[in-house]
Structures are given as C-alpha cells and as structure tokens.
Amino acid sequence: IFLEKNPIKFEKQYNFFIQNFKIKKSIINLTTILDSAWINKEFVNKRIINDNKRQRKRLSKLGNLKFFIADSKKEKLEIVNKMIQQKHLHYNQSGKSMFSLKKYKDLYLLCSDNLGKYGKVHISALLINDEIIATHWGFYNNETFYYIMPSYNINKWGVYSPGKVLLEFLIDWSSNNNI
C-alpha cells in the first residue's frame, strides 16, 4: 500500500498509516479528528445539515432509504464490486480509471474481509429499495475510523448527494460505536 504525505500525528494521536505502512511519495492529504462538538453537529454549517436532511427526504420519497453495513463475505463482495463499478464509471468520465487495472480491483476485493493487525474492514452502503446507490470501503482500528473509498453513481444519483448522506450515516455510526 502506498500512502502519500500523511501527517505523523492528527492532533495528539499518531497516524495509524505512518506507523504501519511504508511511505513512498508525498502529495496532500487532509485528516481530522471529530470531537463531541462535531458529532453533536454544533460546529457544522447549518446549510450542510439542512441540505443533507433535504436530500434524505428526497431520497426517501423514491423508496425505502437504508444505511447498510455488510456482515457476510457475500454482502461485502457485492458492495465492493458495486463500488468498483461506480468508481470505474466516475474515473472514466474524468480521465483514466485505476480500476482498469486488475491489481486495484484485487486489492479491494481481497481486503474485503479484514486487515489482520491493521484493523477491521468496514464496508457499507446506502440503499433505496435494496438498490445500492452509494458505497464506502474503509476500516477502523482502536478508536479511529478511516474513510478511504466512497462511491456513488454520479449519473443516476448525483443530484441527491448520496455520498454526503452516506458520510453522515458513517459519522453517526462511528459516534454510536465510540470510534
């Protein structure tokens, strides 16, 4: 795994990636620690909160909106395959898709169960009537959640901001699980 320009610490907490993986190159990476004020949405722009609420309401009008965390290997592979499909479509529209190469597909498919000592993989999706509209592949270790690879079908669902809606569910899940 190649990671680039990750800070050594996030506030007072050591960066899990720096401790456990070899760094090869450097580019920019943004990271934050969410404190209780963020979790309680005290410092979140009211426009963002209201927009997410509006998008959830719009999506709910289309059917049963559900946040889903994969548990079985079959569920994980289904969501990861959908993530690869969505990312491939998006990347192809903006240039070249990394998922054109088998090694990138294999990385996410092979790491869909767990990362051993590095953490537990967290694969989730936002669904409408059992149709996957957005996905996330990430993991958590100790008390840190790593938001790594989100996706959604930009052509079909982009106007509903499903990535932001899914991110809010992930933040709530992390908070509820003391991560």
Side-chain angles (χ1 to χ4, degrees), residues 78-163:
E78 179 184 1
I79 292 172
V80 171
N81 277 310
K82 180 58 93 170
M83 177 201 77
I84 290 169
Q85 176 189 5
Q86 291 173 342
K87 280 295 199 187
H88 184 65
L89 173 69
H90 185 79
Y91 288 153
N92 273 337
Q93 289 175 348
S94 61
K96 185 177 178 186
S97 172
M98 67 187 231
F99 289 112
S100 296
L101 301 173
K102 185 179 181 315
K103 66 181 180 180
Y104 290 109
K105 291 178 188 175
D106 289 347
L107 172 68
Y108 288 96
L109 290 168
L110 292 172
C111 293
S112 65
D113 202 24
N114 83 50
L115 298 174
K117 69 178 184 175
Y118 298 114
K120 184 171 179 173
V121 174
H122 187 276
I123 298 171
S124 58
L126 191 63
L127 298 96
I128 298 261
N129 295 334
D130 298 323
E131 178 184 351
I132 297 171
I133 67 167
T135 71
H136 176 257
W137 185 100
F139 66 99
Y140 56 99
N141 182 294
N142 297 327
E143 295 177 355
T144 304
F145 184 86
Y146 296 91
Y147 181 73
I148 305 293
M149 183 66 77
S151 75
Y152 64 94
N153 183 323
I154 194 167
N155 296 332
K156 185 173 181 181
W157 299 103
V159 297
Y160 297 97
S161 305

Side-chain angles (χ1 to χ4, degrees), residues 1-4 6 16-17 20-25 107-108 111 115 118 137 139 148:
I1 295 177
F2 298 98
L3 304 168
E4 304 175 349
N6 276 271
F16 166 80
F17 288 113
N20 295 292
F21 297 107
K22 203 178 261 189
I23 305 300
K24 296 285 186 181
K25 296 180 187 176
L107 172 68
Y108 288 96
C111 293
L115 298 174
Y118 298 114
W137 185 100
F139 66 99
I148 305 293

Side-chain angles (χ1 to χ4, degrees), residues 52-96:
N52 258 21
K53 186 177 178 180
R54 181 178 62 83
Q55 297 294 23
R56 280 193 315 276
K57 187 175 180 179
R58 288 179 67 210
L59 285 165
S60 293
K61 287 181 181 178
L62 300 174
N64 183 30
L65 179 65
K66 179 181 172 185
F67 171 61
F68 178 77
I69 300 170
D71 188 41
S72 72
K73 188 161 184 81
K74 180 182 175 189
E75 293 167 342
K76 291 175 182 180
L77 290 175
E78 179 184 1
I79 292 172
V80 171
N81 277 310
K82 180 58 93 170
M83 177 201 77
I84 290 169
Q85 176 189 5
Q86 291 173 342
K87 280 295 199 187
H88 184 65
L89 173 69
H90 185 79
Y91 288 153
N92 273 337
Q93 289 175 348
S94 61
K96 185 177 178 186

Side-chain angles (χ1 to χ4, degrees), residues 5-11 13-19:
K5 223 180 210 187
N6 276 271
I8 293 171
K9 284 186 173 182
F10 309 126
E11 296 179 9
Q13 185 174 354
Y14 279 97
N15 182 344
F16 166 80
F17 288 113
I18 298 292
Q19 292 175 312

Side-chain angles (χ1 to χ4, degrees), residues 6-54:
N6 276 271
I8 293 171
K9 284 186 173 182
F10 309 126
E11 296 179 9
K12 294 179 182 179
Q13 185 174 354
Y14 279 97
N15 182 344
F16 166 80
F17 288 113
I18 298 292
Q19 292 175 312
N20 295 292
F21 297 107
K22 203 178 261 189
I23 305 300
K24 296 285 186 181
K25 296 180 187 176
S26 291
I27 61 172
I28 194 161
N29 181 25
L30 302 173
T31 309
T32 188
I33 304 269
L34 300 178
D35 62 14
S36 62
W38 175 268
I39 300 302
N40 296 328
K41 299 179 176 82
E42 295 168 17
F43 292 116
V44 180
N45 184 308
K46 298 295 181 204
R47 185 183 61 77
I48 293 171
I49 293 171
N50 290 335
D51 185 55
N52 258 21
K53 186 177 178 180
R54 181 178 62 83

